[in-house]
Amino acid sequence: MGSPGSITPADLPPGARRDFNRALHALHLEAGKPSVREIANARGLSHASVHNAFKNPKVPSHDVMEAIAGYLTLRVKDWGLDASHDDPISKELQRMETLWRWARDEADRGADPGAPQGTPEYTRGLLRGLSPACSLCDKTRELDRLHDIIGLKDPHQKKFPLTALRRRIRHRRLQAANPWLLLRLCRSCRRRHDAGEFTDQELREARLALDKRPGAARHYAAYLDHILLGAERVTDMNIAGSALAIIKADPEMDTFPYVLAHGAIKVDRTNGSLQRGRYPCEDEHPPTS
């Protein structure tokens, strides 16, 4: 472990913890692969703390993560074309902070091994609300909450040759959990899906049909509330905009501002904003959630 280039990733299943660990290793590679001892000495950490941050499946403490990421970012000589006009070091530290918090949340609540990696709690809840039964056969008997959510191919995603620069940029970008690329299947349909019996078009049509079911806008309203309140972490606000479009298309939905926390927070879904203050409050929850 003391020589450069000898650190190998922790053995982790797909999920937020593995995403964080892989990002830490990618940053270490871009920083020139300094040794564990060099990092520890530079930041006043113990050799074991640095070693465990890279190798141990357990998520490191925030102080250890911050110290290691701070040192590695300073050693990166070329931040590539995505540096733009912003401070690339600050952006990278913020990204590592987000990945670390997701990993910590996953460790605290226990991983969901069935959902695609990085799928947040409320995104899973939205899908299960839209589809209380299997999205393809409409059966509930064979649903398994640990293995009932699958990811769909993104029809708009373009494929480019992964040059070294593109791989480096892709490592730095955080993909949002897109509920329109998820589907809920029973065990029988999951086996058929894994065997390739469903076409991509059939899967996409089944997903689009969920948004047309009665009451879909209510589930999206609750989902959007979690985004606005910061309970659901998304990096692409187009997701919030798409959810809002579904809410506003339902004439029964009330999109007027409402208050939470005994009038301390006013939530405005239409404008996608929060305001803190003292507002009249009759109910802790929005009437449409």
Side-chain angles (χ1 to χ4, degrees):
M1 282 297 298
S3 60
S6 62
I7 308 177
T8 55
D11 185 12
L12 288 163
R17 285 173 289 182
R18 189 172 76 171
D19 290 345
F20 167 74
N21 187 260
R22 295 299 189 271
L24 188 64
H25 279 271
L27 182 58
H28 175 257
L29 178 63
E30 293 185 40
K33 301 186 293 185
S35 68
V36 168
R37 192 171 303 280
E38 181 180 350
I39 299 171
N41 292 339
R43 290 299 182 177
L45 301 172
S46 68
H47 181 275
S49 295
V50 178
H51 175 275
N52 290 336
F54 284 98
K55 291 282 292 181
N56 198 317
K58 184 179 178 180
V59 180
S61 69
H62 184 268
D63 289 344
V64 171
M65 178 279 298
E66 197 172 43
I68 295 174
Y71 177 72
L72 295 178
T73 52
L74 292 175
R75 286 182 54 101
V76 177
K77 296 180 179 179
D78 178 15
W79 283 101
L81 299 178
D82 58 336
S84 67
H85 299 293
D86 298 324
D87 180 6
I89 293 179
S90 296
K91 291 174 65 176
E92 181 68 4
L93 290 176
Q94 184 178 15
R95 187 186 79 98
M96 292 302 299
E97 172 83 14
T98 300
L99 285 170
W100 179 87
R101 292 192 181 280
W102 287 9
R104 175 63 69 183
D105 288 348
E106 182 185 82
D108 289 343
R109 69 172 184 264
D112 182 347
Q117 62 180 19
T119 305
E121 176 183 358
Y122 292 108
T123 301
R124 297 195 303 267
L126 167 67
L127 189 64
R128 287 165 177 159
L130 293 171
S131 182
C134 175
S135 304
L136 288 175
C137 70
D138 209 32
K139 293 181 180 178
T140 60
R141 184 179 56 187
E142 294 186 343
L143 283 174
D144 181 348
R145 288 187 64 85
L146 293 180
H147 301 279
D148 62 355
I149 295 179
I150 66 165
L152 306 181
K153 294 180 181 178
D154 186 351
H156 304 294
Q157 186 177 26
K158 297 181 180 180
K159 295 183 178 179
F160 299 99
L162 284 180
T163 63
L165 176 59
R166 291 191 184 279
R167 280 195 294 268
R168 185 163 59 191
I169 293 175
R170 188 178 68 173
H171 276 308
R172 294 196 188 124
R173 286 180 179 167
L174 206 56
Q175 298 298 319
N178 189 337
W180 288 276
L181 294 178
L182 300 174
L183 201 61
R184 191 180 190 201
L185 302 183
C186 66
R187 286 194 291 270
S188 295
C189 288
R190 179 66 181 264
R191 287 193 292 268
R192 294 181 61 192
H193 167 268
D194 294 344
E197 296 183 22
F198 298 114
T199 66
D200 291 342
Q201 183 64 26
E202 287 176 322
L203 297 173
R204 286 196 296 272
E205 289 178 355
R207 178 58 189 86
L208 291 173
L210 298 182
D211 294 344
K212 300 178 181 179
R213 291 187 175 183
R218 293 180 177 271
H219 294 292
Y220 278 106
Y223 176 66
L224 180 58
D225 292 346
H226 287 122
I227 292 176
L228 294 177
L229 292 170
E232 183 77 312
R233 300 177 179 88
V234 296
T235 58
D236 184 356
M237 289 309 293
N238 289 327
I239 291 176
S242 298
L244 179 60
I246 293 174
I247 296 168
K248 296 174 71 174
D250 188 334
E252 297 183 358
M253 290 300 299
D254 178 8
T255 58
F256 290 104
Y258 61 90
V259 297
L260 294 174
H262 301 286
I265 302 173
K266 179 187 284 187
V267 181
D268 187 344
R269 286 184 189 144
T270 302
N271 295 314
S273 66
L274 295 177
Q275 293 179 332
R276 298 185 181 274
R278 294 183 179 180
Y279 304 98
C281 178
E282 296 180 358
D283 192 345
E284 278 295 292
H285 304 283
T288 56
S289 294

